[in-house]
Amino acid sequence: MLLLDGKATAAAIRAELKEDVSAGLAAAGRAPGLAVILVGEDPASQVYVRNKERGCEEAGIRSEAFRLPADTTQEALEVLIDELNGRADIDGILLQLPLPKGLNSQRCLERISPKKDVDGFHPENMGRLALGLPGFRPCTPAGVMTLLERYDLSPSGKKAVVVGRSNIVGKPLALMLGAPGKYANATVTVCHSGTPNLAEECRQADFLFVAAGRPCLVTSDMVKPGAVVVDVGIHRTEEGLVGDCKYDDISCIASAMTPVPGGVGPMTIAQLLINTVISWKGRTGIAG
């Protein structure tokens, strides 16, 4: 089985971005700038933000963190977003989710300028994805697509099944897989909690993408032998970190599979860095 190593791929991407940024620094007059907003003390969010800050440093991106108390008001958060929208040295704005209770995350995401929406969650960018127009793509599904390309695994003309229909992963991933292109152009089925005969749907997939948010949901009897399996889930259990797929069993019959951890997670952060550099280039007039 081919191990789809997101950790190693993401490291290679960061090195490439650092070279790209170094080559454009003189013309741009400044490094790319990413603002990260973290509200409250959620432990998982703290880890994610530290990982993103570390990734920025390795890629030559200047990150600026705004750590706000859990009792921050909606108005204060929106004022900060407005300020960052207006700053010339900020190319991307990342609002770490989930927000504390009482704050409206959708209102905040819509407040971020689509041109600085490097997470790809603004309705304008989601709409541009649906229409096949250029724009920032959500980082997790875009990272999955980049991983397929890096390993030269083309779903073109194949049957792809996406388990999960969230706005963050499932829906945009299905759109990307069904779009024209060498590393897309798949026939896509989207499954969810209301899908009857989920196992049978999964068994038809040449490419199976699982983003259901349920630990070890997909087992080997649900996977077509020789399928490519991408596990987007990650869960902390008594046995350690596991994904949405039962890795040990499925890895015996899949032709390629992502590990958990070290698969999709690092690619999500890598795609955030890619989006930030793209924004920087566009905002400073650098070609490429």
Side-chain angles (χ1 to χ4, degrees), residues 253-268:
I253 62 170
S255 63
M257 189 173 181
T258 55
V260 176
V264 174
M267 293 302 299
T268 298

Side-chain angles (χ1 to χ4, degrees), residues 181-205:
K182 179 180 177 182
Y183 293 98
N185 204 42
T187 299
V188 185
T189 297
V190 178
C191 299
H192 47 77
S193 58
T195 299
N197 302 318
L198 176 62
E200 182 58 34
E201 293 287 352
C202 290
R203 275 193 294 270
Q204 296 180 38

Side-chain angles (χ1 to χ4, degrees), residues 37-224:
I37 304 172
L38 175 62
V39 187
E41 303 293 334
D42 180 74
S45 292
Q46 297 275 0
V47 172
Y48 294 148
V49 167
R50 282 198 297 272
N51 288 341
K52 288 165 184 173
E53 289 175 327
R54 194 177 304 119
C56 283
E57 184 178 354
E58 292 180 14
I61 296 169
R62 183 183 62 82
S63 66
E64 190 170 344
F66 296 84
R67 290 177 166 82
L68 307 178
D71 60 358
T72 297
T73 64
Q74 183 79 25
E75 180 183 10
L77 185 50
E78 291 182 8
V79 166
L80 173 59
I81 291 171
D82 289 344
E83 290 175 357
L84 295 172
N85 280 336
R87 278 181 51 176
D89 62 333
I90 295 295
D91 302 295
I93 301 171
L94 167 68
L95 178 63
Q96 183 65 44
L97 300 178
L99 295 177
K101 208 169 179 180
L103 293 174
N104 188 319
S105 58
Q106 190 58 42
R107 265 178 57 186
C108 292
L109 291 173
E110 292 182 19
R111 195 91 176 192
I112 296 171
S113 166
K115 294 181 178 178
K116 295 188 177 186
D117 170 41
V118 288
D119 245 348
F121 292 156
H122 192 282
E124 180 176 320
N125 283 321
M126 292 291 277
R128 294 181 73 85
L129 168 60
L131 293 171
L133 298 173
F136 291 119
R137 305 313 195 211
C139 294
T140 297
V144 168
M145 300 301 289
T146 298
L147 191 61
L148 293 180
E149 184 173 350
R150 292 284 176 135
Y151 278 91
D152 195 26
L153 294 170
S154 173
S156 181
K158 305 290 181 62
K159 177 68 178 284
V161 172
V162 178
V163 183
R165 55 180 171 183
S166 72
N167 291 333
I168 296 173
V169 182
K171 287 179 185 176
L173 179 57
L175 288 168
M176 293 178 197
L177 286 165
K182 179 180 177 182
Y183 293 98
N185 204 42
T187 299
V188 185
T189 297
V190 178
C191 299
H192 47 77
S193 58
T195 299
N197 302 318
L198 176 62
E200 182 58 34
E201 293 287 352
C202 290
R203 275 193 294 270
Q204 296 180 38
D206 301 302
F207 284 73
L208 179 60
F209 304 86
V210 189
R214 291 174 57 186
C216 300
L217 170 69
V218 174
T219 52
S220 59
D221 62 315
M222 300 168 67
V223 177
K224 179 180 181 179

